[in-house]
């Protein structure tokens, strides 16, 4: 439903799934549903609401040590902060996700550098690095203004 831009139906499905996963105590299903809700809300511009779902998903993915979903949640969280203009928080999320992708890359690509998953991961890493640079450029003027001026 999400793919067909039927957001209302997709949100309803994700919310129902979340309720079911919580009822049956399926933490991975819960984390995935929270991530999907967060991503969906971010895509339609409700970034603050997205952040709440993504942070909750991130807590669970870390408990479960699901690094692939952790990476997706961190990246989506960084994007939500970025679109809200919360650049330091976006930068923090992007830097964290790079570390997670490095761990994924190390594990999945150790013996096969042509593996499609490795290629995809490296492309995402490049995208995140570019986002980090862009975010740093937006933050630099803020940091400059906050630094105490000498001789003042």
């Amino acid at each position: 439903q999400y793919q067909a831009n039927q957001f209302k139906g997709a949100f309803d499905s994700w919310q129902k799934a979340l309720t079911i996963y919580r009822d049956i105590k399926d933490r991975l299903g819960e984390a995935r549903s929270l991530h999907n809700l967060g991503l969906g809300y971010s895509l339609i511009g409700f970034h603050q609401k997205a952040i709440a779902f993504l942070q909750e998903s991130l807590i669970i993915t870390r408990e479960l040590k699901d690094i692939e979903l952790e990476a997706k949640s961190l990246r989506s969280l960084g994007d939500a902060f970025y679109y809200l203009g919360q650049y330091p928080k976006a930068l923090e999320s992007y830097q964290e996700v790079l570390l997670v992708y490095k761990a994924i890359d190390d594990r999945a690509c150790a013996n096969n550098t042509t593996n499609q998953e490795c290629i995809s991961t490296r492309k995402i890493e490049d995208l995140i690095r570019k986002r980090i640079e862009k975010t740093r450029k937006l933050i630099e003027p803020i940091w400059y203004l906050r630094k105490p001026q000498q001789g003042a």
Side-chain angles (χ1 to χ4, degrees):
Q1 290 173 331
Y2 161 76
Q3 297 295 342
N5 289 328
Q6 298 174 359
F7 286 107
K8 171 95 172 85
F11 282 105
D12 289 346
S13 295
W14 292 327
Q15 195 61 56
K16 286 177 188 172
L18 178 60
T19 300
I20 292 167
Y21 288 131
R22 283 180 170 163
D23 288 346
I24 64 172
K25 298 186 183 355
D26 179 340
R27 297 290 278 165
L28 182 57
E30 182 181 354
R32 286 180 178 150
S33 296
L34 289 163
H35 177 264
N36 288 338
L37 283 160
L39 182 60
Y41 279 114
S42 192
L43 288 172
I44 61 171
F46 291 95
H47 303 295
Q48 201 62 52
K49 194 166 190 172
I51 288 168
F53 283 107
L54 292 166
Q55 287 175 327
E56 196 173 348
S57 174
L58 189 58
I59 289 167
I60 296 168
T61 60
R62 286 178 170 164
E63 285 173 11
L64 299 175
K65 297 182 180 12
D66 184 326
I67 61 172
E68 285 86 4
L69 188 55
E70 180 182 355
K72 289 178 184 177
S73 293
L74 279 167
R75 182 176 174 206
S76 297
L77 192 57
D79 289 344
F81 283 129
Y82 182 88
Y83 292 120
L84 283 174
Q86 296 179 14
Y87 304 121
K89 289 181 179 181
L91 184 61
E92 184 179 321
S93 291
Y94 293 145
Q95 289 172 330
E96 279 188 66
V97 80
L98 270 184
L99 296 175
V100 175
Y101 279 126
K102 175 80 172 107
I104 292 170
D105 190 47
D106 286 349
R107 189 187 70 214
C109 306
N111 298 321
N112 185 358
T113 56
T114 59
N115 178 327
Q116 189 59 42
E117 183 180 336
C118 298
I119 294 167
S120 295
T121 300
R122 289 186 182 126
K123 286 181 181 178
I124 293 170
E125 287 174 348
D126 288 342
L127 176 72
I128 297 297
R129 282 188 188 92
K130 288 176 186 171
R131 183 59 62 93
I132 286 172
E133 284 308 308
K134 186 175 181 181
T135 305
R136 279 188 178 139
K137 288 178 184 173
L138 292 168
I139 293 173
E140 282 176 5
I142 297 168
W143 284 340
Y144 177 77
L145 291 174
R146 288 185 181 168
K147 284 192 335 191
Q149 300 299 317
Q150 295 207 349

